[in-house]
Amino acid sequence: MTAVESWKQKLAHLMPPDLAREIDIFETQIELRKQGKIDERVFAETRLRRGVYGQRYDNGQRHDGVRVQKLRLPSGGLTKGPETVWDAPGMIRIKIPFGGLNPEQMEVLADLSEEYADGISHVTTRQDIQYHFVHIDDTPSLMRRLAAVGITTREACGNVVRNVTACPLAGVCKDEVFDVTPYAKACSKFLLGHPDTQDFGRKFKIAFSGCKQHPCGLTSMHDMGAIAKKKVVNGEERRGFEFYVGGGLGAVPYRAQLFNDFLPQEELLPIAQAASRVFARLGEKRNRARARVKFLVANLGIDEFRRMVLEEREKLAADPRWTDYLSRLHEWAEKPLKPGVSLDGSERPAGFDAWYATNVYHQEQPGYVVATVTLPLGDITADQLRALADIAPRFVKDTIRTTVEQNLVFRWVSEADLPDLYKALCQIGLGEPNAGTIVDVTACPGTDTCKLGIASSRGLARKLRTHLSEASLQLDEAVKGLRIKVSGCFNSCGQHHIADIGFYGISRNVNGYTVPHFQVMLGGKFKDNAGAYGLPVGAVPSKRIPEVVTLVTDRYVRERQRGESFQDFISRIGKKEVKAMLDGLTKVPPHDVDPSYYSDWGDPREFTLTDMGVGECAGEVVSQAQFTLAASERELFEAQIYFDSGDFKKAVLTAYGAMVQAAQGIVKTQHYDISDNEEAILSEFQQRFCDTQLFYDKYAGRQFADYLFKAREALKSRGEIGEDLALRRLQEAQLFIDAAHSCYKKLSELQSASRASVAGTASPGEG
Amino acid sequence: MDLQRINVKFFVENPDGILLTDFIRIFNSWIQASDGEYYDIADYHHVHAGPGVLLIAHEANISIDNTGNRLGLLYNRKQPLSGNNQEKLDFVFRSALEFCRRIEEEPAPQGKIKFGGNEFLFLINDRLLAPNSAATFRAVSPDLEKIAKTLYAGAEFLMDHRNDAREIFAVKVKSLVHFEVLELLHNLQDHGELKKEGSWDTTRSLSK
């Protein structure tokens, strides 16, 4: 056999050049971190912005139920972030904008889960795909293979715009105003890597919905939510959005506030950009617990926030990308594979009717349906995903989507094909009914893999699925339609606030032991785009949660009034009564009487909180200046590679580029919008940092700054570039970049001192 | 071909009544008995014909795997191995069989679990290194045959490879004679000792 090439070589012609370049950069950053040339905090945020996330126990220790074991990881002290051991496996989050997938992508996702993870692709509550137990050294190859089929992990984590989600029925929904898919896609593309979205103090989530009344888009719980709307203006029907900002779940849930009841489609992207700029400028950066945009909107008030965004909007230079896509909206329209034919008279295999009742949605387009593939806990094996990639082209075109309920949907299935599709799904173990019912429990990863997990959300979800599926045929119709959502902690990745019955993991100290519990939340509203948040009604030991579900649902069936919703029922009987109902379930027997209470679902270890780590949800707050300085280091590294290969000219040019980039990083501390133009950067650098002597070294004075200007003059003179000169330039560039770091440190200290002084003035009576 | 990311799966002979969830407890006891070797347990018993329950470690994962709806122990070597191919295969098979033996000795609630020694699945979990093709099979066959001959102590066996570029490279090897796990371990051991008398240095660590 011939020598094995790398994925980089093999896929070079298939990867979009910009994606390929980004991955090369990330690979270099990995190398630089290994050499200790990137600070671990900067590297942590860098990898998060590439979707490379930490995982439980990655601090190198794990409680085995008896003692804490130091894990044998041969990292030799190398870390990939604060308290994050290099060789510890991690999670990769893969952005799937609006959940859209095609069979080719599904096949690659299957392959990657097999080769780099544990054989499972996990669909998240925000339409992403996640892999667990991935080694960071494998991530560049993994990313290249994704890039070759048009998928990026960029900005899947970190303080950036996360995956843009949308209703999975968009375009085929009977109630939608119009298809929001192309808008979600354009928004995702426009904001990805946009300079105005790189300096947030926290993540930023956007969702689109085609209608107001259904839950699919969940716009009310997002930082920014857009609901399709039409309006007649001057006799002409125009498209736009009911536009919301400042929603979010987490420990303190906020419902999004109305920003504009009709934002014309042309204004969608500029307003998103302007809002990003306001959030970047005014959002909290130091206190991460209050850094989401919901706090900024609450603090300023929606009117002031709106005023500031509109003012910012006016200042923006026009960008053709704001509206270019609007002329191509018609190109988006999906096409079916086959004519739409109704099911009448078709032979129905065993089990089909139950599946049909829960997993099939009749599209707006006659004869077509959306078929939901129920994924238990959002998990799908490599074989199943590959098989689905085979099954899909028999029934549909590239019209598959992930859902926020952790399932997959096939859109545009001819109804007459459903029995065959069902049989094909059953053959690969995916013919489970109950999609979107009480059995289809949603859960975040919890203690299975999340560093912040307190209790086992997946363990509980597994138990509830089994418990409820066994009873599903006997369940009252009113109960079947309820939603259960479980989070491993208060951060609400399992979206427990918007469930009819929600749970989030907590612990309680009982009899000298720590006992896993779940806080019970009742009355949340999944409908109406996450229309209401549930209220906590009490903490119950983890092992008694299935009884909570039985108790609450049985009582609802018994006592509900005609047509009364679950939310109304809970509201009518009142929190006090609900709490009293649960009282009998809150007792924990002594350890020697029943030790099962002292361990969590699916985990035989005695329960402990020892394994909780520092979360990476928020990422590190790393400024754009720091990122730019890190990028200059990387560029200098590339210059060194050119030097080693004997290309001295390229080495000198690249080293100079690295210096300019470092200067740009420093300028960004005072002038965020500095362009990439070399002249502008040098001029601003001269004026702001040389003329003011801010860049000057205590002992060397302006020497390091001079390296930059001298290098520029030398390049202009076009003299011969030999090895000695190149080496000197590389050394000078390194010194310049080091000086830039020192300058950045000095500026940060000055800023902190200034803040402290302001705080001191503001509180003269303290102390 | 420099063999890496080698996987071996030995199938359970008596899968009826075996609960995947029992392995969470078994693997947890292994973790408690070790000193930081194992990283975590991943439980996927809820998915159909999936990876089952995995014991995750840095060098290799071990799982009670139900892929293809056939329960077995899968040894999935992740980190590179050094040495020649026979040394690597010897290491991987010895490791996999040791884990099988250990599981057979576990007092599982349903009684003892038995692995069939006369059949195994050999995989290379790396589509770049080893695309699932006839060429890979030709390249791998000599080494695979050699280790199979050692395992089966000269008894006849069949190697079944199916070209499918989409799947990872896999060869099913089946002996016509029944073997217990312990016999295979003995066969490897005997062979190792013979080699030791010759030129092999079995004391050398195979892991990088």
Side-chain angles (χ1 to χ4, degrees), chain A residues 1 4-7 10 55-60 62 64-67 69-74 87-89 107 110-112 114-120 132-133 135 138 145 376-377 379-381 383-384 386-387 389-390 426-430 447-449 458 462 466 602-605, chain B residues 1-2 5 7 21 24-26 28-52 54 56-59 61 66-69 76 78-79 124-131 133-140 164-168 208:
Chain A
M1 287 182 73
V4 181
E5 55 187 352
S6 64
W7 284 113
K10 190 168 176 158
Q55 200 175 302
R56 205 166 176 89
Y57 317 121
D58 67 6
N59 59 355
R62 182 183 189 275
D64 66 10
V66 178
R67 67 196 163 110
Q69 289 196 18
K70 194 168 161 43
L71 299 169
R72 265 193 250 160
L73 296 165
D87 280 314
E107 183 147 346
D111 293 353
L112 301 185
E114 204 165 45
E115 288 178 60
Y116 303 119
D118 54 11
I120 292 288
H132 293 100
F133 301 105
H135 196 289
D138 286 331
R145 294 170 75 178
L377 308 186
D379 292 343
I380 184 165
T381 70
D383 281 351
Q384 286 175 325
R386 212 163 12 246
D390 281 344
C426 286
Q427 279 170 5
I428 56 170
L430 288 175
T447 49
D448 274 17
T449 49
R458 279 167 61 88
R462 260 187 224 108
T466 313
D603 189 342
R605 292 175 293 173
Chain B
M1 179 190 242
D2 173 29
R5 299 220 186 203
N7 284 215
T21 46
I24 299 172
R25 197 167 289 280
I26 291 172
N28 191 59
S29 69
W30 290 13
I31 289 175
Q32 287 175 335
S34 79
D35 189 19
E37 183 180 355
Y38 303 113
Y39 194 83
D40 199 6
I41 295 167
D43 172 13
Y44 293 114
H45 82 269
H46 53 276
V47 297
H48 170 82
L54 298 95
I56 312 279
H58 175 68
E59 310 254 311
N61 293 347
N66 198 28
T67 302
N69 246 334
N76 171 6
K78 299 186 290 186
Q79 292 301 312
I124 302 178
N125 191 16
D126 187 330
R127 286 175 173 80
L128 184 70
L129 173 73
S133 64
T136 304
F137 184 57
R138 278 195 300 276
V140 169
D164 181 349
R166 299 168 69 206
E167 302 286 340
I168 56 172
K208 260 186 188 171

Side-chain angles (χ1 to χ4, degrees), chain A residues 374-667:
Chain A
T374 313
L375 305 181
L377 308 186
D379 292 343
I380 184 165
T381 70
D383 281 351
Q384 286 175 325
L385 194 50
R386 212 163 12 246
L388 271 189
D390 281 344
I391 291 169
R394 287 168 50 198
F395 301 99
V396 295
K397 290 194 170 176
D398 295 347
T399 52
I400 303 133
R401 295 195 189 183
T402 56
T403 77
V404 296
E405 293 197 273
Q406 302 182 297
N407 292 321
L408 286 166
V409 291
F410 279 25
R411 299 143 54 93
W412 291 98
V413 179
S414 174
E415 198 188 1
D417 276 347
L418 281 174
D420 286 342
L421 173 59
Y422 174 68
K423 278 192 267 183
L425 293 176
C426 286
Q427 279 170 5
I428 56 170
L430 288 175
E432 191 185 329
N434 296 322
T437 70
I438 193 167
V439 181
D440 193 11
V441 181
T442 306
C444 71
T447 49
D448 274 17
T449 49
C450 176
K451 294 206 249 187
L452 294 175
I454 293 173
S456 177
S457 42
R458 279 167 61 88
L460 174 61
R462 260 187 224 108
K463 179 66 193 173
L464 290 176
R465 283 182 68 91
T466 313
H467 175 74
L468 291 163
S469 334
E470 285 161 2
S472 71
L473 292 175
Q474 281 76 48
L475 287 176
D476 188 278
E477 281 307 309
V479 168
K480 258 190 183 171
L482 301 179
R483 298 301 211 282
I484 297 180
K485 295 179 184 293
V486 190
S487 300
C489 73
F490 53 78
N491 280 307
S492 199
C493 297
Q495 302 175 344
H496 56 263
H497 291 290
I498 59 165
D500 299 286
I501 305 172
F503 303 104
Y504 71 87
I506 51 174
S507 69
R508 289 282 185 268
N509 288 318
V510 183
N511 308 325
Y513 292 88
T514 312
V515 181
H517 279 61
F518 279 90
Q519 180 63 249
V520 181
M521 309 276 295
L522 295 178
K525 208 169 177 185
F526 187 59
K527 289 176 187 159
D528 300 340
N529 271 301
Y533 296 153
L535 287 174
V537 291
V540 173
S542 184
K543 292 294 170 76
R544 302 209 71 176
I545 293 293
E547 293 168 76
V548 170
V549 174
T550 306
L551 200 65
V552 170
T553 54
D554 281 356
R555 181 145 180 199
Y556 172 52
V557 169
R558 266 197 330 269
E559 297 181 16
R560 76 183 192 274
Q561 293 172 351
R562 192 179 170 82
E564 189 178 37
S565 72
F566 185 74
Q567 287 76 27
D568 291 343
F569 168 73
I570 292 297
S571 173
R572 178 168 60 80
I573 67 170
K575 192 173 169 179
K576 199 173 161 192
E577 177 58 27
V578 176
K579 205 169 170 47
M581 185 165 62
L582 301 183
D583 268 352
L585 300 176
T586 56
K587 306 284 179 293
V588 178
H591 191 275
D592 54 351
V593 173
D594 190 348
S596 72
Y597 278 75
Y598 297 80
S599 62
D600 213 337
W601 290 108
D603 189 342
R605 292 175 293 173
E606 189 143 296
F607 186 76
T608 173
L609 295 178
T610 317
D611 291 326
M612 279 178 70
V614 180
E616 293 189 329
C617 279
E620 295 287 336
V621 177
V622 176
S623 70
Q624 266 311 93
Q626 284 172 290
F627 272 124
T628 313
L629 287 174
S632 72
E633 293 268 18
R634 180 189 47 74
E635 204 165 348
L636 183 59
F637 180 77
E638 285 179 6
Q640 278 155 351
I641 290 169
Y642 288 129
F643 179 84
D644 292 342
S645 69
D647 192 341
F648 304 127
K649 189 176 175 189
K650 228 168 176 177
V652 167
L653 283 169
T654 311
Y656 173 67
M659 291 163 87
V660 173
Q661 199 161 29
Q664 187 188 29
I666 290 300
V667 172

Side-chain angles (χ1 to χ4, degrees), chain A residues 33-51:
Chain A
R33 176 66 201 137
K34 284 180 174 175
Q35 294 177 13
K37 290 181 177 170
I38 298 185
D39 169 72
E40 66 172 6
R41 224 167 52 89
V42 175
F43 183 75
E45 178 62 11
T46 301
R47 68 172 162 77
L48 285 169
R49 290 187 184 200
R50 296 283 155 204

Side-chain angles (χ1 to χ4, degrees), chain A residues 217-291:
Chain A
L218 304 175
T219 50
S220 291
M221 47 163 263
H222 279 79
D223 296 291
M224 189 181 281
I227 300 173
K229 196 170 186 180
K230 282 181 181 170
K231 190 175 180 182
V232 177
V233 180
N234 298 328
E236 191 190 336
E237 190 179 69
R238 294 188 61 194
R239 281 182 171 195
F241 296 92
E242 198 170 296
F243 194 74
Y244 290 85
V245 290
L249 296 182
V252 189
Y254 282 60
R255 282 175 49 75
Q257 299 190 50
L258 184 65
F259 181 92
N260 189 335
D261 71 350
F262 185 78
L263 183 71
Q265 59 178 359
E266 297 79 8
E267 281 301 298
L268 175 69
L269 298 186
I271 288 294
Q273 184 183 348
S276 298
R277 288 176 67 88
V278 170
F279 178 45
R281 196 171 66 235
L282 299 178
E284 174 63 49
K285 296 274 170 49
R286 281 171 294 164
N287 179 2
R288 296 178 353 166
R290 294 191 65 81

